Amino acid sequence: MTEQDDPEKLPRALAEASTRVMLLSETGAAVTGDGLLFLDGPDYTPQAQDRQVYLGTHGTSTYVLAIVQAEHYPQIERAQWISLREAFTVLDDIEAELFVESQAIANWIRTEKFCPRCGSETRSATFGWGQRCMANDHELFPRTDPAVIAAIIDAEDRILLGANAAFRTHMYSVLAGFVEAGESLESAVRREIFEESGVQVGDVAYRGSQPWPLPRSLMLGFTGEALSTELVPDSAEIQDLRWFTREQLAAELRAGSLQIPRGASIAHALIKSWYGEDLPEASK
């Protein structure tokens, strides 16, 4: 029997005091004042509808995700619950990455309850990372949808930022969108930027990536050269567009008249890379 076939791996892990159990509901992750809340393995009592996923080991600890059905988990009286978007601004990099990974697998488990081949119910497999069809034993694994996000820079070294209809007031960010079937990443950048802003893009360069499980994306970051500067917001997703110099962006951030994504987001990393140093905060 291989390690992947061992049915006792998760029960053994949960019996160990060195195991840390992270709780994730549909609202988000359970947190304390200074980070993710973890239960010791023996202190976690699975409820009937809980699903567990083996996340791996770090140092002397083993980490297990418990996907719970409600925020009012019986063993936690005063837990707070935060969404993934909120977590990027308050958690350190390691815990933010753990949250991202957990959210991605949880989203998939919640939505893929039936086999796409025959419609039969599925059961957990491969320590939570897979599911098996209960009728034909076909094994299923999560899928990832690629998306692109790009910092577009014009000939005057200005950056293009837009206000999305889904953003809170005064939030501006670099533009993003999904990759379509049969499309290269570079083509996706050029198409998305033109569709959302009317700007023609020339050279495109890859800068990095970030898992973005909202619901199951991998965000691929780029910089792009603007060949035109006239701005035409699509008025559906994008409500406003502006070109910013470094001085203009810094002044508005300090004044609090504008916000940008913060924390460990790839959007913040792209803007910071263009800016060249840590971005200013609003004056208090």
Side-chain angles (χ1 to χ4, degrees):
M1 177 170 47
T2 67
E3 183 184 14
Q4 286 192 340
D5 297 324
D6 182 0
E8 297 301 315
K9 186 178 181 69
L10 269 172
R12 279 200 306 269
L14 291 172
E16 295 292 333
S18 60
T19 293
R20 302 289 175 258
V21 180
M22 172 186 173
L23 301 180
L24 190 69
S25 73
E26 290 193 11
T27 296
V31 297
T32 62
D34 55 359
L36 291 173
L37 184 151
F38 294 101
L39 296 177
D40 292 342
D43 293 336
Y44 165 66
T45 303
Q47 305 301 296
Q49 299 301 314
D50 288 3
R51 293 282 294 272
Q52 296 87 37
V53 181
Y54 178 82
L55 296 176
T57 61
H58 180 70
T60 59
S61 296
T62 296
Y63 289 88
V64 172
L65 167 67
I67 304 169
V68 301
Q69 299 302 305
E71 294 76 48
H72 304 294
Y73 191 78
Q75 292 160 279
I76 301 176
E77 296 180 358
R78 291 184 292 274
Q80 292 181 307
W81 298 80
I82 60 171
S83 69
L84 183 59
R85 290 184 186 276
E86 295 172 297
F88 278 122
T89 65
V90 298
L91 298 181
D92 63 33
D93 288 350
I94 292 177
E95 290 199 349
E97 289 179 12
L98 188 62
F99 194 169
V100 167
E101 181 179 53
S102 298
Q103 186 74 67
I105 192 69
N107 288 348
W108 176 69
I109 287 173
R110 290 194 184 103
T111 57
E112 298 291 329
K113 296 181 178 180
F114 302 96
C115 175
R117 291 187 179 183
C118 67
S120 300
E121 290 189 8
T122 59
R123 60 177 175 82
S124 181
T126 322
F127 314 130
W129 285 96
Q131 299 195 82
R132 285 192 179 276
C133 173
M134 296 181 69
N136 59 38
D137 205 39
H138 173 65
E139 192 164 13
L140 309 169
F141 290 99
R143 56 172 283 188
T144 297
D145 298 329
V148 293
I149 184 167
I152 304 303
I153 314 299
D154 73 359
E156 298 178 36
D157 204 21
R158 299 180 299 176
I159 191 169
L160 175 62
L161 300 179
N164 192 293
F167 289 167
R168 61 181 183 268
T169 306
H170 307 312
M171 174 68 75
Y172 279 71
S173 184
V174 288
L175 304 184
F178 286 102
V179 180
E180 295 185 350
E183 187 174 47
S184 71
L185 299 175
E186 293 80 3
S187 294
V189 170
R190 296 185 181 102
R191 174 187 55 77
E192 281 288 345
I193 299 302
F194 180 74
E195 288 179 353
E196 294 186 352
S197 71
V199 172
Q200 298 279 356
V201 175
D203 289 341
V204 172
Y206 174 71
R207 296 301 181 194
S209 65
Q210 177 183 38
W212 193 252
L214 300 169
R216 57 187 182 195
S217 301
L218 175 65
M219 195 72 77
L220 300 146
F222 294 84
T223 54
E225 171 196 19
L227 301 180
S228 63
T229 57
E230 182 180 358
L231 300 177
V232 184
D234 68 4
S235 298
E237 289 186 58
I238 306 301
Q239 300 299 302
D240 187 38
L241 291 161
R242 293 172 60 185
W243 291 105
F244 289 89
T245 65
R246 291 172 180 79
E247 293 75 19
Q248 289 169 336
L249 182 59
E252 295 212 32
L253 289 173
R254 291 190 182 99
S257 58
L258 178 145
Q259 295 174 312
I260 60 171
R262 296 285 182 174
S265 69
I266 192 169
H268 182 81
L270 288 170
I271 297 170
K272 179 180 176 181
S273 178
W274 162 80
Y275 189 75
E277 58 185 278
D278 289 341
L279 286 142
E281 300 280 354
S283 301
K284 296 184 179 180

